[in-house]
Amino acid sequence: MTSNNTEPRSPSVNPAARSATFKRVTNETRVAVALSLDGGPLPAHEVEEDAKKEHRSHAAQSSGSQTISIDTGIGFLDHMLHALAKHAGWSLAIQSRGDLYIDDHHTTEDTFLALGTCFRQALTASSSSTPSSSAAGLARFGSAYAPLDEALSRAVVDLSNRPFAVVELGLRREKIGDLSAEMLPHGLLSFAQTAGLTLHVDCLRGANDHHRAESAFKALAVALRIATARVPGREHDVPSTKGVL
């Protein structure tokens, strides 16, 4: 006679993938985004022919847990979005084509608007969430500090469904690479608007503007990862005294 001392196991739960794709097409830009908030494989998405021919590898990275490919036509913007995806734990593909012969405004703004929309759609992709309670089962709040050498930044995030952004990076240069410095805070404001986030991002110190900007994006990435984390045992709970967000 044999005995079985194995503890009974609860049925495993496989949470729905939090992923989405989104395209934004205007007279000024074409932006395509594919996002998986938990890393892993990206959802199926189209890649335009010119991107296949002109593949840029400076903001592309693939590992066992993440796939990242960013191509906006603006090198420093690619660098910031790469850092955001990497440290948030996302798999992310962005392809932007815009009127850069005018300037970088439309391309940067629309890229962040499209990313924010895709982020919001990915949050509501699980079966337990609805557009009015996309934070159900999630931590909701996240905060983080991130250093880069002499620079130090802080980011605080709320999945509030009340878009608001305060971004103080203290940048001194007119441009960093080919990106207008003013477009970094404006881009984060655009992201907050379509993502439905309240976010505060501050660079607390730093002498080098590249370092200031990059530490800010890394801090935001970690804060977003914390805010969007699932809370075991609270899968259907909306983290608000109102009962809805």
Side-chain angles (χ1 to χ4, degrees), residues 130-150:
T130 64
S132 61
S133 60
S134 59
L138 306 183
R140 176 180 170 179
F141 301 103
S143 61
Y145 290 81
L148 179 54
D149 296 345
E150 88 295 346

Side-chain angles (χ1 to χ4, degrees), residues 34-36 39-42 45 55-71 77-95 221:
L35 171 65
S36 174
L42 282 165
H45 60 286
H55 179 68
R56 300 176 176 92
S57 60
H58 64 271
Q61 186 174 10
S62 182
S63 67
S65 60
Q66 288 177 277
T67 299
I68 301 170
S69 177
I70 314 294
D71 180 6
L77 178 58
D78 293 350
H79 183 41
M80 293 300 96
L81 292 171
H82 185 187
L84 179 67
K86 181 62 181 177
H87 297 287
W90 299 346
S91 285
L92 177 66
I94 297 179
Q95 181 191 337

